[in-house]
């Protein structure tokens, strides 16, 4: 992200900010008025985000021609969440993702920057298409991007920073840890450490309901439920035998989300032999 400042900031931008704040305080914000205010603010303040470029192994650098559509209800809804935040909190969230805030940016501009960052990292920005999970993975890096949420977030953070060198180092590390450590262990020690932490981090648990797959079919429904119930009280449970492999797959809801977290920590990724691993992840 960078700012292209206009020759002067005119009074209407402050009026726009005031109008938006008033709409939020009365809790009657509507998508179209917000989008209109955002568009006016952008015309007066002239902040033009520069999207990141992609430079992973096997891909040539190409600019992503994207911009926020201020008539988009998704953009307006995200801005409604960001608008009441204090400047310091907005700055802190951007800094957490490795994005510095230019000192020349005003309150409106930094909030628009945060809106774009959130939408871009969540894949909700207009022009972004949601990719489909491939039937088979072409590399360990591709697999990590799909199967390791913490790693995907870390890699996307590097992409948002336009740190192509670190992106390439991380991609090489996933595909061949030993070789990448030999090549980059000295100059990119911190990057590799964070990548490894992201790869081994348990998936986030946002709900007491979990989806599971991989328990042996010969356990039966009762045996599978008993295994999970040992971690905490279960309120709902269902499972079926897979049609293709001799495994069970299903859904379990714990009474306490902390017990759900323990289940993910203990069982997700457990090696069941023969190249098979358990998958226990948050349903939400």
């Amino acid at each position: 992200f960078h700012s292209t400042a206009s020759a002067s900031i005119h009074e209407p931008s402050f009026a726009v900010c005031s109008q938006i704040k008033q709409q939020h305080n009365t809790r009657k914000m509507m998508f179209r008025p917000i989008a209109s205010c955002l568009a006016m603010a952008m015309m007066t303040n002239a902040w033009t985000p520069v999207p990141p470029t992609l430079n992973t192994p096997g891909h040539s650098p190409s600019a992503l021609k994207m911009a926020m559509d201020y008539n988009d209800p998704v953009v307006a809804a995200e801005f409604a969440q960001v608008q009441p935040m204090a400047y310091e909190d907005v700055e802190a969230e951007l800094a957490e993702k490795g994005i510095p805030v230019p000192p020349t940016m005003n309150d409106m501009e930094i909030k628009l920057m945060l809106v774009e960052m959130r939408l871009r990292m969540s894949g909700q920005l207009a022009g972004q298409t949601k990719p489909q999970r491939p039937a088979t993975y072409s590399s360990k890096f591709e697999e990590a991007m799909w199967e390791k949420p913490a790693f995907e977030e870390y890699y996307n953070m590097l992409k948002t920073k336009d740190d192509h060198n670190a992106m390439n180092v991380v991609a090489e590390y996933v595909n061949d840890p030993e070789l990448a450590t030999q090549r980059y262990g000295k100059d990119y020690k911190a990057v590799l450490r964070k990548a490894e932490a992201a790869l081994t981090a348990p998936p986030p648990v946002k709900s007491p309901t979990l989806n599971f797959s991989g328990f042996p079919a010969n356990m039966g429904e009762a045996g599978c439920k008993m295994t999970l119930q040992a971690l905490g009280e279960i309120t709902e449970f269902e499972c079926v035998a897979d049609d293709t492999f001799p495994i069970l797959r299903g859904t379990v809801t714990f009474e306490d989300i902390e017990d759900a977290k323990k289940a993910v920590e203990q069982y997700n990724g457990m090696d069941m032999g023969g190249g098979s691993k358990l998958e226990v992840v948050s349903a939400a």
Side-chain angles (χ1 to χ4, degrees):
F1 297 99
H2 74 263
S3 172
T4 304
S6 55
S8 62
I9 296 180
H10 304 289
E11 194 63 31
S13 65
F14 295 100
V16 170
C17 294
S18 176
Q19 179 185 354
I20 295 176
K21 290 179 181 178
Q22 182 179 2
Q23 288 175 327
H24 175 78
N25 291 335
T26 57
R27 299 184 180 278
K28 294 180 180 179
M29 299 183 78
M30 299 296 290
F31 287 154
R32 190 167 295 280
I34 295 175
S36 176
C37 290
L38 288 172
M40 290 176 65
M42 288 299 292
M43 284 189 290
T44 55
N45 290 306
W47 172 61
T48 306
V50 176
T53 56
L54 183 63
N55 187 25
T56 53
H59 296 78
S60 59
S62 59
L64 302 178
K65 305 294 185 182
M66 298 180 186
M68 289 192 294
D69 177 5
Y70 299 101
N71 291 313
D72 187 343
V74 174
V75 175
E78 189 62 51
F79 183 80
Q81 298 294 321
V82 170
Q83 197 278 329
M85 294 175 63
Y87 183 96
E88 293 76 13
D89 294 335
V90 176
E91 186 176 35
E93 183 172 337
L94 288 167
E96 184 181 338
K97 300 300 183 184
I99 302 174
V101 177
T104 54
M105 277 194 168
N106 61 32
D107 185 76
M108 174 64 75
E109 291 172 330
I110 186 178
K111 287 178 178 178
L112 292 173
M113 179 186 279
L114 179 58
V115 168
E116 183 179 358
M117 185 206 75
R118 285 183 176 182
L119 294 178
R120 190 179 296 283
M121 294 191 71
S122 63
Q124 299 182 73
L125 199 62
Q128 287 181 293
T129 57
K130 190 173 182 178
Q132 298 296 314
R133 183 188 295 268
T136 58
Y137 299 118
S138 61
S139 66
K140 291 181 179 179
F141 169 73
E142 184 180 41
E143 181 179 1
M145 289 292 286
W146 279 103
E147 304 292 346
K148 303 290 184 179
F151 176 78
E152 180 191 16
E153 181 179 358
Y154 177 58
Y155 185 82
N156 284 339
M157 180 271 290
L158 295 175
K159 184 191 297 185
T160 303
K161 291 172 63 179
D162 256 357
D163 193 343
H164 304 304
N165 288 338
M167 288 163 62
N168 285 330
V169 167
V170 165
E172 288 190 38
Y173 178 75
V174 177
N175 288 326
D176 193 334
E178 185 175 347
L179 181 60
T181 301
Q182 291 175 1
R183 288 178 173 176
Y184 313 114
K186 181 178 179 180
D187 296 331
Y188 288 89
K189 185 176 182 180
V191 170
L192 296 181
R193 184 175 64 249
K194 291 178 181 178
E196 180 61 26
L199 288 168
T200 56
V205 178
K206 303 175 182 178
S207 164
T209 300
L210 306 176
N211 294 328
F212 63 84
S213 174
F215 287 104
N218 57 16
M219 290 179 67
E221 181 177 347
C224 184
K225 182 176 181 180
M226 186 180 300
T227 298
L228 293 171
Q229 202 163 28
L231 298 172
E233 191 64 32
I234 288 175
T235 58
E236 294 182 33
F237 180 86
E238 61 180 46
C239 78
V240 296
D242 189 88
D243 294 332
T244 308
F245 300 101
I247 61 172
L248 299 173
R249 60 175 70 252
T251 303
V252 58
T253 300
F254 287 90
E255 188 174 90
D256 190 334
I257 192 172
E258 293 303 318
D259 294 331
K261 292 179 180 179
K262 287 190 293 184
V264 171
E265 183 177 353
Q266 181 166 332
Y267 288 113
N268 187 61
M270 179 179 286
D271 190 348
M272 302 301 290
S276 175
K277 292 183 178 182
L278 284 180
E279 182 180 89
V280 183
V281 297
S282 180

